[in-house]
Amino acid sequence: MAEILLLNGPNLGQLGTRRPEMYGTTTLAEIERDVRKTVAESGHTVRCLQDESEATLVRAVHAAADCVGAIVNPGALMIAGWSLRDALESFPGPWMEVHLSNVFAREPFRHNSVISPLASGVLCGLGAYGYQLAALGLVHRLAQDAARSDGPAAAVGAPGPGHGHGLGTGSGAGRAPGPGAT
C-alpha cells in the first residue's frame, strides 16, 4: 500500500483543549483516525507526525520521500517556516495544506504564507473536516496523476506536481478569478 504523510506543526498536539472556540474540540488523534479511514478506501496508509520543532518536521519531510503525498498543517510555521518551506519544496509528491481556522479572517499577520504557494491545494476554515477534504483531494490528485502517467498525455508533457489538477494552488487558492478569467 502507498503511504501518505500527515504532518502537523507546533501546538496542534493540543487540539481538543487549546482554544476550542477557535479550533474545535476534535483531538489530533481523532483527526488522524478519520484521515486513516478516508484514505484506506483507496488503499493508502498514513504516517502521522506532530512536533513543536521545525527541525523535526523538516527531517520528517525528508524521511518521507517514499510517501506518495502529504497533508500538512504547518500551524504558525506557515508565516516564517522557511526551512519547512524548503523541505516541502523538495517533497516529490503532491501535498495539501490544511488550517483549522480561516486564517484570512484572522489577524493580518496570518494572511501571508511562505508555504501555501508550493501546495497542491489549500484548505482553511473548515475545522477538523478540512483534513478529510484534504485527504479526499489528495487521493483524487494521486489518481489523476496515475491516470495521466499511464496515458498518452504523459509522453507529451502532462502537468507536473502542483499544476493542472483542478485544485486551488498557490497564493490565489480559494479566491475568485480576476477580470477576464474563465
Side-chain angles (χ1 to χ4, degrees), residues 51-64:
D51 203 272
E52 311 305 324
S53 166
E54 185 173 3
T56 300
L57 299 173
V58 168
R59 282 190 290 276
V61 171
H62 293 307

Side-chain angles (χ1 to χ4, degrees), residues 18-166:
R18 180 178 177 253
R19 297 195 63 195
E21 72 283 357
M22 174 72 63
Y23 302 115
T25 57
T26 305
T27 66
L28 185 56
E30 292 168 326
I31 289 170
E32 291 171 349
R33 178 202 65 210
D34 292 344
V35 169
R36 280 188 172 100
K37 285 181 186 177
T38 299
V39 303
E41 295 174 13
S42 61
H44 294 87
T45 60
V46 180
R47 179 187 312 175
C48 301
L49 176 75
Q50 184 280 322
D51 203 272
E52 311 305 324
S53 166
E54 185 173 3
T56 300
L57 299 173
V58 168
R59 282 190 290 276
V61 171
H62 293 307
D66 59 328
C67 288
V68 295
I71 300 165
V72 179
N73 185 339
L77 292 174
M78 71 177 268
I79 300 163
W82 289 101
S83 62
L84 180 58
R85 180 224 180 267
D86 289 349
L88 288 166
E89 183 177 40
S90 67
F91 185 75
W95 56 275
M96 302 291 175
E97 181 178 353
V98 177
H99 294 280
L100 293 157
S101 67
N102 180 353
V103 295
F104 299 104
R106 296 182 63 188
E107 306 90 344
F109 73 87
R110 296 182 193 274
H111 297 179
N112 294 305
S113 171
V114 300
I115 293 173
S116 295
L118 302 175
S120 299
V122 178
L123 292 100
C124 65
L126 301 171
Y129 188 57
Y131 282 89
Q132 288 179 358
L133 293 174
L136 289 170
L138 182 60
V139 166
H140 177 74
R141 168 65 192 273
L142 293 168
Q144 283 186 320
D145 287 353
R148 227 185 338 259
S149 69
D150 291 339
V156 292
H163 304 286
H165 47 72

